[in-house]
Amino acid sequence: MSRLFAFLLPRKPPISTGAAPTPRALPPDTDGSMTMMAKGVNDVLNYYVQLTDTKASIFIAGSVAAASFLLMHFPEGVQARALYFTSAASLGVALVLATLVILPRLPMRSGRGCVFWGDIADCADAAAYRDRFGAAAASGILDEEYAVLNFYTARILERKIRILRRGILFFLTGVLMAIPHHLMNQ
């Protein structure tokens, strides 16, 4: 049973940037081109995270609006109540799932990276971050840090989309059950 609802529990990705899981296969990024490509991938991933969060926000509003409008009257009769409770439960689950999509996923901080916001915030002050960033840039490993960040951002995005899909299905079920209930109570 716990495995059935495991997708509802937030999980932290196991690592943030600043850690190299394997030895670097490429020479240092001396001209910055690899870093720019990795940053471009990061920008695309962040766009999709924002898009997914926006869709989830729309389904939060839609679930509340659908429940408020379509389920205004408590019905008489067993069949009408079955539709009512099925719709209310489905819209409630859709609301919870959409909320889980927009809740931030916080990977653990390595304390060594210079592109993940959590690692940046762990610096003692702006000078410490400047020095950390300068060392990473001078050694040509910013692209590597972006690659790690991109990997975990993609994992978070995949999970958000999977939860959003389930939320959409529950939303549609709730609305499809609420429409007949609403029409019967007109």
Side-chain angles (χ1 to χ4, degrees):
M1 186 69 160
S2 64
R3 183 166 165 78
L4 179 64
F5 295 106
F7 70 92
L8 290 174
L9 302 174
R11 290 185 306 176
K12 290 184 176 187
I15 192 170
S16 71
T17 61
T22 58
R24 186 174 175 85
L26 300 171
D29 184 25
T30 55
D31 67 352
S33 61
M34 295 291 286
T35 301
M36 291 304 294
M37 287 190 302
K39 170 71 170 93
V41 170
N42 187 261
D43 290 344
V44 170
L45 290 172
N46 284 327
Y47 168 76
Y48 283 119
V49 166
Q50 290 174 352
L51 185 63
T52 304
D53 288 350
T54 300
K55 287 179 182 181
S57 298
I58 291 168
F59 277 98
I60 288 172
S63 295
V64 171
S68 298
F69 177 72
L70 296 173
L71 302 175
M72 282 191 286
H73 305 289
F74 191 74
E76 298 293 326
V78 174
Q79 291 175 336
R81 284 185 180 173
L83 284 174
Y84 180 90
F85 286 120
T86 302
S87 177
S90 294
L91 290 171
V93 170
L95 177 69
V96 168
L97 290 174
T99 302
L100 287 174
V101 169
I102 61 173
L103 287 176
R105 305 314 194 272
L106 303 174
M108 294 185 307
R109 300 169 183 183
S110 72
R112 297 182 310 236
C114 63
V115 295
F116 172 61
W117 65 265
D119 289 336
I120 296 169
D122 274 347
C123 290
D125 55 27
Y129 173 66
R130 181 197 62 220
D131 294 344
R132 182 186 294 173
F133 185 86
S139 64
I141 63 166
L142 281 177
D143 61 325
E144 199 167 313
E145 288 199 29
Y146 268 115
V148 173
L149 180 65
N150 291 347
F151 174 79
Y152 288 108
T153 302
R155 285 268 175 101
I156 290 169
L157 180 60
E158 178 184 39
R159 187 165 173 78
K160 284 175 167 276
I161 290 172
R162 192 178 317 120
I163 294 170
L164 182 60
R165 284 180 181 165
R166 289 180 180 130
I168 291 169
L169 292 175
F170 276 102
F171 175 81
L172 292 174
T173 300
V175 169
L176 291 175
M177 294 292 150
I179 290 173
H181 158 74
H182 181 73
L183 294 175
M184 286 191 287
N185 287 302
Q186 287 294 342

